[in-house]
Amino acid sequence: MRAPGRTSRRQALAALGTLSLGSMAGCVDSVQSLGFGGSRVAVEPEDPGDDPDATPGEFYYLLEENGITVDELYHDTEENDLILFYESDAETEAESDNEIGLIYIVYRDGLIDRGSDIDHLYTEVTDRFDGQVEGWGVNTEWAQEDIDGEISRLDVWNAIINTMVYPEGEERFAVDNETDGNLDEDGSAGDAESTTGDGEDDEDSGDGSDSDGGDGGERDETTDE
């Protein structure tokens, strides 16, 4: 388990994740006293195979299949949240954003779109470069609204940005957010090859985008069910 002194960032993210999309900026300092619930169970990777069950273990497996180095993953069974510690390979803010975008896509397509009832994903970044984000979170409601086409990729990305926590005295660098953290114009994983099923590539389109096209509310189909 992580040292108690490292919980404050996740405490902040926990509170931010309960707020409605678009109303979260500037809330971090006021929620440091809040924390996660009780039972925290370590998760091990689990191959989804041909009949995935949208388990936390499958999420772990799919993250590593997509090049994300998982340090530790926990399931808070009381709050029904996932707490992810991952080792960042990024050397720039843009590369860090791409990692975040990819993790979100795997969470959306590998868990939520397959029926998982997990409420939130909270993360902490390890092996950081100076000035890199320390942690961020996702409210499952955003992912479901993204799946249903009710919000755009930009809405989701801006919501994630508003959960980002930085070391004291640091703030987010200016980044070209037109890339939307690895979410391109059709909501796909950009240059990343995201697979969230049996290890095969998306068959809908050669570039990984949804064959229906669509606007920013549409998403790419990375599942291979």
Side-chain angles (χ1 to χ4, degrees):
M1 290 292 181
R2 292 284 168 168
R6 300 185 66 182
T7 60
S8 60
R9 292 186 289 275
R10 300 196 300 281
Q11 289 166 355
L13 293 175
L16 290 175
T18 66
L19 300 178
S20 61
L21 188 140
S23 66
M24 303 188 309
C27 298
V28 174
D29 291 341
S30 64
V31 297
Q32 294 295 329
S33 62
L34 299 177
F36 288 106
S39 303
R40 199 176 300 176
V41 178
V43 176
E44 297 296 331
E46 176 186 356
D47 188 341
D50 296 328
D51 188 20
D53 294 318
T55 65
E58 291 177 5
F59 177 58
Y60 190 134
Y61 180 92
L62 293 170
L63 286 173
E64 295 207 320
E65 283 290 289
N66 282 276
I68 301 298
T69 302
V70 177
D71 185 3
E72 298 172 79
L73 179 65
Y74 297 100
H75 181 199
D76 186 332
T77 56
E78 183 174 310
E79 299 295 330
N80 202 22
D81 297 328
L82 293 180
I83 305 125
L84 169 67
F85 298 86
Y86 69 95
E87 296 180 11
S88 176
D89 293 327
E91 297 181 354
T92 67
E93 193 81 0
E95 290 176 356
S96 177
D97 285 353
N98 287 342
E99 286 181 334
I100 294 168
L102 181 55
I103 291 169
Y104 165 71
I105 289 171
V106 175
Y107 180 75
R108 180 194 69 188
D109 293 353
L111 279 184
I112 307 310
D113 197 27
R114 288 177 171 170
S116 172
D117 62 354
I118 292 292
D119 287 331
H120 302 92
L121 169 67
Y122 304 114
T123 75
E124 187 162 318
V125 184
T126 64
D127 197 22
R128 302 168 48 253
F129 60 80
D130 289 345
Q132 187 176 7
V133 63
E134 287 191 320
W136 53 275
V138 176
N139 187 328
T140 292
E141 290 182 5
W142 312 337
Q144 189 59 57
E145 290 173 352
D146 184 9
I147 290 166
D148 295 339
E150 298 174 0
I151 58 175
S152 72
R153 58 180 176 80
L154 186 59
D155 291 328
V156 175
W157 181 240
N158 284 337
I160 291 173
I161 286 176
N162 283 335
T163 71
M164 291 181 179
V165 178
Y166 289 83
E168 185 175 357
E170 297 182 12
E171 59 185 19
R172 181 173 171 79
F173 294 135
V175 176
D176 179 5
N177 286 325
E178 291 182 1
T179 59
D180 296 317
N182 208 25
L183 301 179
D184 67 15
E185 289 297 325
D186 62 1
S188 70
D191 295 333
E193 182 178 289
S194 176
T195 59
T196 55
D198 54 12
E200 297 178 0
D201 296 336
D202 176 31
E203 296 178 358
D204 291 333
S205 172
D207 61 4
S209 62
D210 185 358
S211 58
D212 292 334
D215 58 21
E218 296 292 329
R219 61 187 185 88
D220 89 311
E221 297 294 342
T222 58
T223 57
D224 299 300
E225 301 180 74

